[in-house]
């Protein structure tokens, strides 16, 4: 990695830290410069504006997420219920560790309804990849029912990530650790399987 690329990467990582500390709406170029241990002029040299810098940071983080999630979805050594649990765990535990970044992505896609944003497009791609895997795993099931069941699961997850605690849940399912995130992910995966067994809304 060249010195220029390393510096850009360091600044982007500082933006991640600032979003987590202050929230995406309260991030300033000064705060980013302080976090990166550089000056505003240096940041302006690499990025034309704060908006461009934040957009590139969000693009970097969502691309990393997609790579990890696609790898989990395409893992043929695992059955679908375990694959679904692994994907949900990754999303939930990632949001626990990086709530500011997660909410920034969800806010753009869900609240602002910017369907053309990188965040929204990436979420849809992950969902469609999971639907494709489910269709291969359950060839005798109605594809529409599989899609609906997964949409219900992911709608629930997105609400809980966007607004944690909005709907009170039992303490054992509150995501306060990776262990709790795994418990909740297993619960979601079991719910999906139960929906299939019951025939969903057919």
């Amino acid at each position: 990695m060249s010195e220029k690329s390393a510096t850009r990467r360091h600044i982007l990582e500082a933006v991640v830290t600032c979003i987590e500390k202050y929230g995406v709406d309260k991030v300033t170029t000064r705060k980013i410069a302080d976090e990166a241990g550089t000056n505003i002029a240096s940041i302006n040299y690499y990025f034309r504006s704060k908006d461009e810098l934040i957009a590139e940071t969000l693009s970097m983080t969502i691309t990393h997420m997609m790579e990890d999630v696609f790898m989990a979805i395409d893992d043929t050594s695992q059955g679908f219920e375990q694959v679904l649990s692994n994907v949900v765990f990754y999303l939930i535990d990632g949001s626990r560790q990086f709530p500011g970044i997660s909410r920034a992505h969800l806010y753009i896609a869900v609240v602002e309804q910017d369907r053309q944003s990188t965040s929204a497009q990436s979420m849809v791609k992950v969902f469609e990849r999971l639907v494709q895997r489910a269709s291969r795993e359950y060839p005798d099931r109605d594809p529409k029912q599989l899609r609906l069941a997964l949409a219900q699961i992911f709608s629930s997850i997105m609400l809980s990530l966007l607004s944690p605690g909005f709907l009170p849940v039992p303490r054992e399912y509150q995501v306060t650790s990776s262990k709790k995130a795994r418990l909740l992910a297993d619960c979601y995966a079991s719910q999906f399987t139960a929906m299939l067994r019951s025939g969903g809304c057919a």
Side-chain angles (χ1 to χ4, degrees), residues 9-162:
R9 179 82 181 190
H10 182 63
I11 292 170
L12 291 169
E13 289 171 352
V15 178
V16 171
T17 302
C18 286
I19 290 174
E20 292 305 324
K21 280 184 178 180
Y22 311 110
V24 70
D25 293 335
K26 293 184 173 62
V27 171
T28 64
T29 306
R30 167 59 62 195
K31 289 173 180 174
I32 296 167
D34 290 345
E35 187 65 39
T38 188
N39 53 50
I40 292 175
S42 176
I43 289 176
N44 290 337
Y45 173 78
Y46 289 101
F47 301 94
R48 286 177 293 184
S49 68
K50 185 190 81 170
D51 288 344
E52 178 190 290
L53 178 51
I54 289 177
E56 188 165 335
T57 301
L58 293 178
S59 178
M60 176 187 72
T61 55
I62 201 79
T63 298
H64 177 73
M65 179 275 290
M66 285 180 64
E67 290 170 353
D68 289 346
V69 170
F70 281 178
M71 189 179 299
I73 294 172
D74 296 339
D75 183 0
T76 56
S77 70
Q78 305 280 349
F80 186 77
E81 185 172 328
Q82 187 60 53
V83 164
L84 180 58
S85 178
N86 290 344
V87 169
V88 172
F89 170 75
Y90 181 91
L91 297 176
I92 292 174
D93 201 49
S95 182
R96 178 186 68 82
Q97 295 178 64
F98 300 99
I101 291 290
S102 298
R103 285 181 205 140
H105 285 299
L106 286 164
Y107 190 87
I108 292 167
V110 179
V111 179
E112 294 182 346
Q113 295 188 26
D114 183 354
R115 303 294 169 83
Q116 300 308 310
S117 67
T118 302
S119 298
Q121 292 290 314
S122 299
M123 290 175 198
V124 171
K125 285 177 183 176
V126 165
F127 176 73
E128 291 296 341
R129 187 81 156 248
L130 204 51
V131 169
Q132 290 169 11
R133 172 68 193 266
S135 297
R136 292 195 302 271
E137 196 90 1
Y138 303 102
D140 57 331
R141 297 285 182 174
D142 181 351
K144 293 178 182 177
Q145 292 294 321
L146 291 173
R147 179 176 291 273
L148 177 61
L150 287 170
Q152 290 173 325
I153 295 291
F154 273 80
S155 294
S156 175
I157 292 168
M158 288 169 74
L159 174 62
S160 68
L161 298 185
L162 186 59

Side-chain angles (χ1 to χ4, degrees), residues 170-190:
R171 180 172 295 178
E172 63 266 29
Y173 293 108
Q174 293 174 9
V175 184
T176 55
S177 65
S178 290
K179 184 177 180 181
K180 295 288 185 70
R182 174 54 75 182
L183 179 65
L184 185 57
D186 288 345
C187 180
Y188 275 120
S190 296

